Amino acid sequence: MYEPIRTKSVHTPADHADDFPHLSRGEELDIQLAGHLAALLAVTDELDLGEAGDRIAEQVARLRGAAPARHAGRTAAPAPSLHRRAHALAGRALVVAASRADTAVAILAAERMDAHTAALAAAPAAPLVGAH
């Protein structure tokens, strides 16, 4: 009644599926964490927070195996906006560090979140752009 399928299904893995490298979940998380920290480093350098930037750079270097590029230029972004961005980036790094069980980065990210929260609380109130 039914004829057997004679061709390979589109769901069959390719013959050479092992020809390209696969990363483990831990390696993927390390890459993601290094990316969040590198973005945090750029904002930290823009805020001219040298010591905090050095600590973040150490963790990026540990994760990537090479020292990160440091932010050389400045933008016209107001400090409160930069602190909010840094707080969000530190929060992302904290989430990934927690899932990776990277205690050193988790502690550093939590400290940076606290520092940016304190900086925002100490800054004069400015209207939020785009707030509804």
Side-chain angles (χ1 to χ4, degrees):
M1 183 168 178
Y2 292 102
E3 185 175 338
I5 297 174
R6 296 184 183 161
T7 61
K8 285 188 170 188
S9 167
V10 294
H11 302 290
T12 303
D15 292 334
H16 304 286
D18 295 331
D19 286 352
F20 59 94
H22 294 278
L23 298 176
S24 69
R25 184 173 190 279
E27 291 168 328
E28 290 283 352
L29 288 173
D30 283 348
I31 292 167
Q32 187 178 25
L33 184 56
H36 289 316
L37 288 175
L40 178 60
L41 176 60
V43 177
T44 302
D45 282 348
E46 190 162 347
L47 285 165
D48 201 23
L49 303 173
E51 184 181 331
D54 293 342
R55 291 179 58 213
I56 296 167
E58 287 174 13
Q59 294 302 320
V60 173
R62 178 181 62 85
L63 291 165
R64 287 188 176 162
R70 298 296 294 257
H71 187 64
R74 303 276 187 257
T75 65
S81 173
L82 292 172
H83 283 294
R84 281 190 289 277
R85 187 178 318 154
H87 185 273
L89 289 165
R92 290 183 190 124
L94 178 59
V95 169
V96 177
S99 69
R100 184 70 179 114
D102 191 329
T103 307
V105 174
I107 291 169
L108 176 61
E111 289 173 356
R112 296 313 315 145
M113 289 179 74
D114 289 344
H116 293 295
T117 299
L120 285 168
L128 294 176
V129 176
H132 300 296

